[in-house]
């Protein structure tokens, strides 16, 4: 009996120790899991914070506007061009349409803004103290500035922006320009708005301008610091900063701006090609810059650039084919409303398939282009259509389209938001 009691006692003791051991092991494992999860969460939080900081630092947080002046080409198609821009890239580029007093654009477009930083009593509900609530917006010039007053119009626009408090950068173009907002954002990210900046597609003009000028067709960027200095110089009518008289500066806003910036303010245009020698700002449409079939005057303007180096050729500064355009190209010109819509759609079509891990073949892109690209009569006089199927030009066109469409996931966060 005593032996049985002893055995039961030992069994109970072992059972008790087992329970204690199990409880200890449970708490030990729980503690270790807690420690592991705490470290994991801390690491993930740190990584997330670092990524956010990285995205912010490299993410082009600069503010910018895209000012679109009226194009002198096909004025009858202007309303359709503005509608197409408003429906595609305009909102992301913070587009501001410069309009004349007699244009009835606000009542014909679906978006409601009727003025930009206006002191006039119109559409006040669409504005706060920092400007338009949404884009595109309109900047209406006074009635005494007509379409023939290109210089006066540009000066009025610049003064309006300065008086309202300019954003960090302003991109000037016209309503025939197609803009890729996320690439413009990327281009601006490493620039300082307090620096003297006048960037675009440089052209030579040795007979009239020491440093040449940036193409107004492809558009050009001014920093807010440069814009303020330019407006002050124009107001003071400093040398090369007045259109008075009948000289080369009279009536030509692009030449006047370049002369004042380059010769007086010492802010000339510079070479903005990428490291592969490919342009980012283009004064013709995609088909023409790929084929190299551009106007002779445009070719000539690349022969006397002040920054040409010994041994440089015209092909170096005006490449065509697959090297015509940088992957982060910003603008194309002579793009009518129908091409605006389809180029915008084509880039999205190519990019979305690639982002899903199913990049489109040349054949599938070609089929899409055949089904959707506008026919010649809807492209406008200065534009060319997609090259014929089966040609080397067609392959190059598709290659460049793919190049300027893909890689959105590699953009800084602030630029990705503009896609």
């Amino acid at each position: 009996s005593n032996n049985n009691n002893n055995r039961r006692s030992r069994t109970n003791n072992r059972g008790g120790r087992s329970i204690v051991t199990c409880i200890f092991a449970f708490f030990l494992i729980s503690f270790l899991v807690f420690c592991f999860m705490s470290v994991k969460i801390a690491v993930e939080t740190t990584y997330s914070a670092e990524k956010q900081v990285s995205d912010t630092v490299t993410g082009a947080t600069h503010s910018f506007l895209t000012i679109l002046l009226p194009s002198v080409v096909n004025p009858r198609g202007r309303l359709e061009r503005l509608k197409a821009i408003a429906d595609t890239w305009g909102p992301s580029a913070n587009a501001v349409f410069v309009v004349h007093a007699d244009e009835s654009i606000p009542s014909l477009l679906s978006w409601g803004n009727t003025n930009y930083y206006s002191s006039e009593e119109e559409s006040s509900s669409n504005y706060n103290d920092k400007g338009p609530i949404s884009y595109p917006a309109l900047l209406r010039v006074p009635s005494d500035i007509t379409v023939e007053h290109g210089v006066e119009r540009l000066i009025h626009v610049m003064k309006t922006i300065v008086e309202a408090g300019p954003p960090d950068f302003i991109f000037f173009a016209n309503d025939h320009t197609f803009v890729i907002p996320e690439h413009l954002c990327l281009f601006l990210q490493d620039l300082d708005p307090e620096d003297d900046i006048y960037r675009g597609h440089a052209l030579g003009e040795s007979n009239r301008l020491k440093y040449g000028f940036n193409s107004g067709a492809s558009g050009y960027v001014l920093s807010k610091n440069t814009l303020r200095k330019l407006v002050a110089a124009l107001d003071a009518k400093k040398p090369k900063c007045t259109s008075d008289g009948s000289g080369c500066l009279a009536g030509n806003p692009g030449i006047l701006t370049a002369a004042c910036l380059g010769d007086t303010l010492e802010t000339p245009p510079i070479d903005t090609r990428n490291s592969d020698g490919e342009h980012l700002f283009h004064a013709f449409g995609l088909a023409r810059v790929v084929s190299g079939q551009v106007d002779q005057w445009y070719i000539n303007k690349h022969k006397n650039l002040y920054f040409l180096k010994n041994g440089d050729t015209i092909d170096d500064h005006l490449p065509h084919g697959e090297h015509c355009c940088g992957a982060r190209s910003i603008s194309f010109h002579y793009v009518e409303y129908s091409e605006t819509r389809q180029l915008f759609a084509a880039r999205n079509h190519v990019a979305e398939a690639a982002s899903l891990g199913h990049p489109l073949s040349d054949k599938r892109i070609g089929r899409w282009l055949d089904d959707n690209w506008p026919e010649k009569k809807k492209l406008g006089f200065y534009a060319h259509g997609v090259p014929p199927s089966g040609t080397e030009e067609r392959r190059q066109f598709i290659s460049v389209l793919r190049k300027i469409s893909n890689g959105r996931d590699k953009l800084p966060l602030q630029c990705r938001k503009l896609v």
Side-chain angles (χ1 to χ4, degrees), residues 199-273:
R199 307 281 170 87
H201 188 123
L203 299 175
E205 185 65 36
S206 60
N207 294 331
R208 296 188 287 180
L209 298 172
K210 180 179 179 181
Y211 298 108
F213 62 101
N214 282 317
S215 166
S218 59
Y220 56 87
V221 172
L222 295 181
S223 66
K224 65 180 179 182
N225 181 56
T226 301
L227 181 64
R228 287 182 181 128
K229 288 183 177 180
L230 178 59
V231 168
L234 291 167
D235 272 347
K237 294 188 176 183
K238 290 186 176 182
K240 299 294 184 73
C241 299
T242 175
S243 62
D244 294 346
S246 58
C248 67
L249 301 183
N252 192 322
I255 297 298
L256 172 63
T257 298
C260 188
L261 287 170
D263 293 358
T264 302
L265 299 179
E266 299 182 347
T267 307
I270 66 171
D271 189 357
T272 58
R273 292 174 301 157

Side-chain angles (χ1 to χ4, degrees), residues 15-33:
R17 286 196 298 270
S18 298
I19 293 173
V20 171
T21 301
C22 289
I23 293 173
F24 176 79
F26 172 80
F27 281 107
L28 178 61
I29 292 171
S30 299
F31 176 75
L32 292 175
V33 170

Side-chain angles (χ1 to χ4, degrees), residues 105-161:
I105 288 174
S107 63
L108 297 176
L109 293 178
S110 59
W111 35 268
N113 295 340
T114 58
N115 222 334
Y116 171 69
Y117 290 127
S118 173
S119 59
E120 301 175 23
E121 295 181 358
E122 48 180 322
S123 193
S124 59
S125 63
N126 288 323
Y127 292 81
N128 57 31
D129 59 354
K130 295 182 179 179
I133 295 172
S134 62
Y135 293 93
L138 303 185
L139 193 163
R140 188 176 295 279
V141 299
S143 58
D144 59 340
I145 298 178
T146 67
V147 291
E148 291 80 19
H149 298 130
V151 170
E152 292 82 357
R153 180 177 61 203
L154 180 59
I155 293 175
H156 173 81
V157 169
M158 290 180 170
K159 285 183 176 180
T160 300
I161 297 170

Side-chain angles (χ1 to χ4, degrees), residues 60-62 168-169 184-199 221-223 270 272 281 330:
T61 56
H62 297 310
D168 293 332
F169 296 98
L184 176 57
C185 169
L186 183 67
F187 180 79
L188 300 175
Q189 72 167 345
D190 292 327
L191 302 181
D192 187 337
E194 296 302 329
D195 286 345
D196 294 324
I197 291 173
Y198 171 46
R199 307 281 170 87
V221 172
L222 295 181
S223 66
I270 66 171
T272 58
F281 303 87
I330 293 167

Side-chain angles (χ1 to χ4, degrees), residues 242-405:
T242 175
S243 62
D244 294 346
S246 58
C248 67
L249 301 183
N252 192 322
I255 297 298
L256 172 63
T257 298
C260 188
L261 287 170
D263 293 358
T264 302
L265 299 179
E266 299 182 347
T267 307
I270 66 171
D271 189 357
T272 58
R273 292 174 301 157
N274 65 17
S275 58
D276 294 321
E278 300 165 334
H279 282 290
L280 305 178
F281 303 87
H282 308 282
F284 289 87
L286 182 60
R288 294 190 69 175
V289 293
V290 172
S291 68
Q293 296 177 15
V294 295
D295 294 350
Q296 188 59 47
W297 69 264
Y298 186 65
I299 296 174
N300 293 340
K301 295 296 184 185
H302 289 80
K303 293 181 179 179
N304 52 4
L305 293 164
Y306 80 93
F307 50 73
L308 284 175
K309 300 175 182 177
N310 291 333
D312 280 357
T313 67
I314 190 64
D315 288 334
D316 293 326
H317 284 272
L318 196 56
H320 60 277
E322 292 178 77
H323 293 291
C324 68
C325 315
R328 302 307 189 190
S329 285
I330 293 167
S331 63
F332 295 90
H333 195 243
Y334 292 128
V335 182
E336 277 291 352
Y337 68 94
S338 56
E339 188 174 3
T340 290
R341 294 184 184 278
Q342 295 311 321
L343 179 54
F344 184 82
R347 290 188 66 247
N348 286 338
H349 184 57
V350 171
E352 288 169 5
S355 68
L356 295 173
H358 304 290
L360 300 176
S361 65
D362 283 10
K363 185 176 181 179
R364 289 189 64 184
I365 295 176
R367 190 183 306 124
W368 189 96
L369 292 171
D370 290 336
D371 291 342
N372 295 279
W373 205 259
E375 54 189 353
K376 172 58 183 173
K377 66 180 181 180
K378 291 185 178 181
L379 287 173
F381 180 78
Y382 290 96
H384 290 183
V386 174
S389 179
T391 63
E392 174 62 12
E393 289 77 13
R394 169 83 153 217
R395 186 195 67 78
Q396 292 176 343
F397 182 93
I398 292 174
S399 175
V400 174
L401 174 61
R402 181 182 283 109
K403 181 167 69 169
I404 66 172
S405 303

Side-chain angles (χ1 to χ4, degrees), residues 81-93 136 177-179 181 337-345 348 418-419:
R81 288 196 298 275
L82 296 184
K83 284 182 178 179
I85 293 169
D87 290 341
T88 55
W89 58 264
S92 294
T177 309
F178 181 94
V179 179
Y337 68 94
S338 56
E339 188 174 3
T340 290
R341 294 184 184 278
Q342 295 311 321
L343 179 54
F344 184 82
N348 286 338
L418 302 181
V419 173

